[in-house]
Amino acid sequence: ETGVTQTPRHLVMGMTNKKSLKCEQHLGHNAMYWYKQSAKKPLELMFVYNFKEQTENNSVPSRFSPECPNSSHLFLHLHTLQPEDSALYLCASSHALTTGTQTSYGYTFGSGTRLTVV
Amino acid sequence: AQRVTQPEKLLSVFKGAPVELKCNYSYSGSPELFWYVQYSRQRLQLLLRHISRESIKGFTADLNKGETSFHLKKPFAQEEDSAMYYCALPNQAGTALIFGKGTTLSVSS
C-alpha cells in the first residue's frame, strides 16, 4: 500500500491493556501528525512531529504516548485507556518547511485505526 | 483564537443542482484554507486549497476575507460527489491544521 499506512485497522482493548498504533509513510514527508476523530466532534489534533521532534502536544492525557523514531514512522502507545477514548485515530504526514511550519502543502492521511476500549 | 465553522451537518441536493458547502473561519492574519473530502470507505483526502486557486472535480472555493468565508461550490452536483467535506485552516502556530465538524453532502437522482 502506498501513501500513509496505519496498523492495525481495528483494535479492541481493555482498560488495563497496553497497545500501540503504528503509522508509516514513504512519501518523503518529514512532518507527521496524530488526530482523534470521535462521533459528533471535529478532528482533534493530538501530536505533531516535525523532523522527528515533537513540536506540539495538544493537551493530550499522558495515557497516550507518541514516539517518532524516524521521519517515516510514528507510533501512539496506549495504556490504561478509558471508554471515552474509543474513536478513530488518524495519522497524517506532510512536507515540512525548515521554519517549522508545514501547512502550506496539505496532508496525506492514513485510513485510521478504529479503537474500542471496553 | 482560530476556529472553523461549518454550519450545516447535512446538505441534500438533487443531481444537476448547484451546491454550496459553507465554511466560515476566525483567524488572526491571512490564513491558508483547505477543503478535504472523505468518500464512503475511503480515507480523508485533500480536495483543494485556496492558494493554488484550482478547480478539482468541478469544485471551486473563493476566499472572502470580508465575510471570513471559504465556501465550496459546484454548479452541477453529481451522485459521485456524495461524501463528507471538511474545511480546514492552520492553527495559530502554523504547525498543524484544524478542521471543522464537516458537512455530509448527499446527491440523489
Side-chain angles (χ1 to χ4, degrees), chain A residues 45-98:
Chain A
L45 177 66
M46 299 177 73
F47 301 104
V48 180
Y49 277 82
N50 182 26
F51 292 99
K52 301 187 297 179
E53 298 295 322
Q54 187 181 129
T55 56
E56 184 133 356
N57 175 336
N58 200 27
S59 302
V60 181
S62 59
R63 56 187 184 269
F64 295 91
S65 174
E67 179 190 1
C68 188
N70 54 61
S71 293
S72 298
H73 294 86
L74 183 65
F75 295 90
L76 188 63
H77 303 300
L78 316 170
H79 64 97
T80 59
L81 294 191
Q82 304 298 312
E84 59 264 29
D85 295 322
S86 298
L88 181 67
Y89 288 84
L90 291 172
C91 174
S93 69
S94 72
H95 289 292
L97 304 178
T98 54

Side-chain angles (χ1 to χ4, degrees), chain B residues 35-91:
Chain B
W35 277 99
Y36 281 79
V37 61
Q38 188 168 28
Y39 301 102
S40 179
R41 301 185 184 279
Q42 294 187 29
R43 62 187 68 193
L44 198 56
Q45 58 187 289
L46 178 65
L47 179 62
L48 58 79
R49 49 193 171 194
H50 92 273
I51 57 171
S52 56
R53 302 189 66 80
E54 304 165 295
S55 173
I56 305 292
K57 300 185 178 183
F59 284 98
T60 59
D62 290 318
L63 179 61
N64 186 321
K65 292 184 179 180
E67 296 182 358
T68 60
S69 68
F70 188 57
H71 302 329
L72 184 68
K73 300 178 183 180
K74 185 169 182 176
F76 307 103
Q78 302 298 314
E79 289 182 76
E80 55 265 31
D81 296 327
S82 296
M84 186 77 159
Y85 291 81
Y86 294 91
C87 184
L89 55 63
N91 60 8

Side-chain angles (χ1 to χ4, degrees), chain B residues 2-3 6 13-14 18 20-21 27-28 32-34 37 46 53 58 60 66-68 75 86 90 96 102 105:
Chain B
Q2 63 281 4
R3 190 169 61 245
Q6 293 181 251
V13 301
F14 287 108
E20 182 178 73
L21 297 163
Y27 191 86
S28 176
E32 302 166 61
L33 282 138
F34 303 81
V37 61
L46 178 65
R53 302 189 66 80
T60 59
E67 296 182 358
T68 60
Y86 294 91
L105 174 64

Side-chain angles (χ1 to χ4, degrees), chain A residues 1-2 4 33 35 37 40 42-43 45 48 56 100-107 109-111, chain B residues 9 32 34 36 38 43-46 49 51 86 90-91 93-101:
Chain A
E1 187 177 350
T2 59
V4 178
Y33 315 82
Y35 280 83
Q37 187 174 31
K40 302 180 182 180
L43 281 161
L45 177 66
V48 180
E56 184 133 356
T101 59
Q102 304 89 12
T103 53
S104 293
Y105 296 97
Y107 289 177
F109 278 93
S111 297
Chain B
K9 195 172 179 180
E32 302 166 61
F34 303 81
Y36 281 79
Q38 188 168 28
R43 62 187 68 193
L44 198 56
Q45 58 187 289
L46 178 65
R49 49 193 171 194
I51 57 171
Y86 294 91
N91 60 8
T95 55
L97 292 177
I98 57 173
F99 290 81
K101 290 187 176 183

